[in-house]
Short mmCIF file of all heavy atoms in Angstrom, two decimals:
data_model
loop_
_atom_site.label_atom_id
_atom_site.label_comp_id
_atom_site.label_asym_id
_atom_site.label_seq_id
_atom_site.Cartn_x
_atom_site.Cartn_y
_atom_site.Cartn_z
N PRO P 283 13.11 -2.98 -12.74
CA PRO P 283 12.12 -3.48 -13.72
C PRO P 283 11.93 -2.48 -14.86
O PRO P 283 11.37 -2.83 -15.89
CB PRO P 283 10.85 -3.61 -12.90
CG PRO P 283 11.02 -2.68 -11.76
CD PRO P 283 12.47 -2.67 -11.45
N MET P 601 -11.98 4.86 -39.64
CA MET P 601 -11.25 3.70 -39.11
C MET P 601 -9.79 4.02 -38.84
O MET P 601 -9.26 3.55 -37.87
CB MET P 601 -11.41 2.53 -40.07
CG MET P 601 -12.83 2.08 -40.33
SD MET P 601 -12.89 0.75 -41.58
CE MET P 601 -14.67 0.51 -41.76
N GLY P 704 -18.72 -9.80 -10.68
CA GLY P 704 -19.49 -10.25 -11.79
C GLY P 704 -20.82 -10.86 -11.33
O GLY P 704 -21.87 -10.66 -11.96
N ARG P 765 9.29 31.60 -3.53
CA ARG P 765 9.62 30.60 -4.56
C ARG P 765 8.57 29.46 -4.53
O ARG P 765 8.22 28.94 -5.56
CB ARG P 765 11.03 30.12 -4.36
CG ARG P 765 12.12 31.18 -4.34
CD ARG P 765 12.37 31.75 -5.70
NE ARG P 765 13.03 30.78 -6.60
CZ ARG P 765 13.17 30.96 -7.88
NH1 ARG P 765 12.69 32.03 -8.45
NH2 ARG P 765 13.81 30.01 -8.61
#
Side-chain angles (χ1 to χ4, degrees):
M601 298 177 185
R765 304 286 291 169

